[in-house]
Amino acid sequence: MILDAATLDIIPGQEAAFEAAFLEAKKLIISAPGYISHELQRCVELPSRYILLVHWQTLEHHTVSFMQSFQYQKWCALLQHFYDPLPSIFHYAPVGRKTYRGF
């Protein structure tokens, strides 16, 4: 299992509109092959910052199956105009057991 962690900085004043758009966008991700679960959390100290945590079966389910799909294009159309700057995205694997690429 892989954890995709994205820090999302939203244009100040657009938080409510972003959250409404995310309700539509999440339908696209939950139907993606290899999707397991997700959480969207809002930062307490910086209310324009969110973190999106998505669990995938493999790295390729995120980077290939989803990010190269028509659903991802629709995802970007719904959400990308809220970001400033574009999100930073990193992938994590559990520690202490063999997972993706032997980590």
Side-chain angles (χ1 to χ4, degrees):
M1 179 172 53
I2 294 294
L3 175 64
D4 157 23
T7 302
L8 312 174
D9 288 311
I10 305 305
I11 297 167
Q14 294 292 307
E15 297 88 354
F18 166 73
E19 291 178 18
F22 186 83
L23 289 176
E24 289 301 310
K26 77 176 186 176
K27 297 172 188 173
L28 299 167
I29 201 168
I30 64 176
S31 65
Y35 166 87
I36 297 172
S37 66
H38 77 276
E39 290 181 49
L40 179 66
Q41 305 256 340
R42 191 171 183 179
C43 182
V44 174
E45 294 83 8
L46 300 170
S48 295
R49 177 170 288 170
Y50 295 76
I51 189 164
L52 175 60
L53 305 171
V54 184
H55 286 99
W56 297 95
Q57 290 176 5
T58 67
L59 180 62
E60 288 79 12
H61 279 114
H62 180 228
T63 59
V64 178
S65 296
F66 182 62
M67 293 187 77
Q68 295 180 16
S69 70
F70 180 68
Q71 286 88 346
Y72 182 69
Q73 292 174 20
K74 290 168 57 176
W75 170 276
C76 289
L78 285 167
L79 300 175
Q80 200 164 30
H81 62 280
F82 292 109
Y83 305 144
D84 184 29
L86 289 175
S88 60
I89 302 170
F90 294 94
H91 298 93
Y92 299 85
V95 175
R97 58 187 153 123
K98 188 173 180 177
T99 58
Y100 186 77
R101 294 186 184 159
F103 292 110

